[in-house]
Structures are given as structure tokens and as C-alpha cells.
Amino acid sequence: MPQMLALAVLFGGLCQGAALSSASAQTAAATEPAQTSPGAVEVAPPPPPPMASLLIAVNVDEAEVRVDGEVVGQSPLAPLELPPGRHVVSVTRRGFLPGSRSLGLDASGARLDFALELDAAHPAQLDPEPEAEDIASGSPEWYRRWYVWAGVGGAVVVGAVIIGVVASSGGGTSAYPLPPIQP
Amino acid sequence: MTRARLFRPRPLRRALFTLGLVGLCLPALSCSSGGAEPFILRLIADDGSVPSGPRNAIILNAVGRVQVVIAPDRSSGNHFDALAPRLFDGGDVETRVSAAGEWVITLERPYIEAHAFDHGTTFALEIPLAIQNTTDDPAVHDPLMRVTFQRMGEIIASTERNVNWPLLPGDALDVVVFCPDATRFQCLNTPPP
């Protein structure tokens, strides 16, 4: 606790020091004569426009969000800082019907909720075919590849044929032909 | 599983693949069985325990060659057609038809060692035979079967009996081979005193 108190005192001192130095600088600026030429008119730079916060909430993740045609990210998104005014927000995701809305954003900010609905005509590939790199990386999806099972099946067939040939060629105990007795 | 789901490419592909696999394996398996079951001729070496028999045991190591002869009834004109000698199992088994029209199968020592069931004081040897004709022709009489165990060119044990003809696939016949007193030491693979 004493350490925290000491830190608070130190922080307060620093703040006071900064305030004092700022005040002394302003005083000095006011007392000093102007250094500019007599005929020049000083123009102050325009103040930056105030920004407004816009929160875009989408009911599905990984939906692409565009504001005024520019991609700003994928859902879920952190609140965006936009200049007040009219904006068009559009949200798209594969397998869902796109959503688009226009709003007038003022300095107090706004929130936009999108509830995308499934697109029955173009359903998303929820069970995608694994790629070659999945197999190379030992992904469990490898067993879904048709050629894996074709290879296994081929090996089984070849093995069965070899066993059959070996057995029929006398590799095991063969039967010795006994001809008929002629009357 | 709905109809639409059943006919999706992947389940259909798997089903076709499984069917194809079964279709390919079945012929291979049927080939390996070699068709009809063989007839099993089981030769059993006498263990010397039969009180009325020669009562001399035969050990497996004493037998260097086994020969089985099926002799048709020559008085009725029965015979086997002439047949060139055929070798099996790397030459350890030979089948032929003798000049007298008898079918002869000879099993050499390597085959005996590899296929006999050794029980110490006795052993059994199974010989699978592929019967080529199962027609019961009344003109064919039951033939005589002679079995001999040989050691260094000498017959040390033998037996002789008629067999019901024709032999049928899948059947088995046990034939006990006896060692006479004259060769009782040879049957035990020990030198005579």
C-alpha cells in the first residue's frame, strides 16, 4: 500500500509538472512579440472532422463486410470509426442471402444488425472435399478420397488373386489326381 | 437415408466400389478352393497297443518312404489307363500307373516329415486325393489297396485291404499300417541286437 501511495504521488507530481510547463509555454508565447512578417495572414489548419462509431453485428461469422463498397473486414468486427454522414453497409457470405443497408451516421454513433438468411438455391459447401495438402499433412480427411479406397481395394484384389493362384498351383497341400478305374 | 442422399455421388461411388470388390474377390476365392473337396486317405502307424495285432510300434523317423498302390481286380479286366509319371511338391510326391495297370503314389521322406502328425509312438499321414470319376459302375469291382512303409529300400511295415469303389470327394478312409515282428527294430529305427 505505501508503494501505491508513492506511485500516486509521483504520478500526480509529473502531471502537475506537465501542466506547469504547458502553462509557462503559453505565457511565453503570449509575451513574445510576433516573428512573422507584417503583411502575412496566418491561416489555422482546419480541425479534423469528428468521427462517429459504427458497430456492425452479423448473425454469422466470417461474413465479408463492406462500407461504401470497400471491404472493412469479416464478422465479427470491432466498432468502426467513420465520418458522420450517409454510408452504405453491405454484408455477404457464401451460402447466405446478402444484406445491404444505408444509414445516416451522426456523431453519437450507431449500431447495425444483420441477420443473414440461408440461400436455399446456393447452399454453402458445409462438408468440403479435402485438398491434397490435407492428405500430405496427415489430416483425418484423407480417408474420404476415393483414390485411397481404390488403392486399398486394388491391393485386396491383387492379394486375393495371388493367394488363389498360389493355392491352386500347389503352394499348399494339393490333392493328387486319382484317375478312374476302367472296367 | 433419403433418396436424394443415397444417390449423391459419394455414397453411390462407395457402393459401386464395394460391389466391384466383392465381385472380383469371389472368383479368386472360388479358384483357391480348387473345386471339389479331396478324398482323404489317412495312414496311421500302428502304436503296438492292439493286443491281437503285431504289436510293434512305428516311429516317424524310421520311415523313409511311403507307397500306396491301388490294384484293380485284374480278373475282371479292371485297370487304370496308362499314365506317365507325374511329380508334385518339388518331386517329393510321384504318381504313376504301373505296367500291371495299378495306380501308385510314392511319398518321399521330406513330404512325410512335413505333413505327418507325430504322436511319439505313432504318427498319422493324410494324403489328399482328387477323385476324377465318382460313377458307380457295377463292372468295376472294389480294388485292393496296399500300403507300405519303407526304410532304406526295405519294407518295414505294411497293410492290405479292399476299398469301396468309387471313392467319394469329402470322404476319408483310415488305414492302419502294421509292423511285423521281423522288422520291429527297424520300425523303432534302432539297430537289431
Side-chain angles (χ1 to χ4, degrees), chain A residues 21-45:
Chain A
S21 61
S22 174
S24 60
Q26 285 177 355
T27 307
T31 53
E32 280 181 5
Q35 300 294 320
T36 56
S37 59
V41 177
E42 188 176 351
V43 178

Side-chain angles (χ1 to χ4, degrees), chain B residues 45 58-62 109 112-125:
Chain B
I58 310 167
I59 63 169
L60 180 60
N61 282 340
R109 176 70 194 169
I112 299 167
E113 275 186 328
H115 294 84
F117 301 96
D118 191 4
H119 303 294
T121 56
T122 182
F123 65 91
L125 180 65

Side-chain angles (χ1 to χ4, degrees), chain A residues 39-95:
Chain A
V41 177
E42 188 176 351
V43 178
M51 301 297 277
S53 175
L54 174 61
L55 175 62
I56 301 171
V58 188
N59 64 330
V60 291
D61 288 346
E62 298 177 0
E64 188 178 76
V65 180
R66 290 171 184 262
V67 175
D68 300 329
E70 288 190 11
V71 177
V72 295
Q74 286 190 333
S75 61
L77 275 179
L80 303 173
E81 293 295 324
L82 298 173
R86 183 146 294 277
H87 297 283
V88 177
V89 179
S90 58
V91 180
T92 56
R93 191 193 154 171
R94 192 178 172 197

Side-chain angles (χ1 to χ4, degrees), chain B residues 4 35 46-47 73 91 139-141 144 163 166 172 174 192:
Chain B
D46 182 29
D47 62 357
D73 182 12
V140 174
H141 298 171
L144 190 70
V163 292
D174 290 354

Side-chain angles (χ1 to χ4, degrees), chain A residues 90-113:
Chain A
S90 58
V91 180
T92 56
R93 191 193 154 171
R94 192 178 172 197
F96 290 84
L97 295 171
S100 181
R101 220 174 289 171
S102 173
L103 84 160
L105 184 64
D106 58 20
S108 61
R111 173 189 171 105
L112 264 183
D113 285 287

Side-chain angles (χ1 to χ4, degrees), chain A residues 129 149 157 174 176-179 182, chain B residues 10 17 79-80 89 111 128 130:
Chain A
E129 291 282 339
W149 290 106
V157 169
S174 55
Y176 309 107
L178 178 61
Q182 303 300 332
Chain B
R10 194 179 301 159
F17 173 71
H79 64 282
F80 286 100
D89 293 289
Y111 180 92

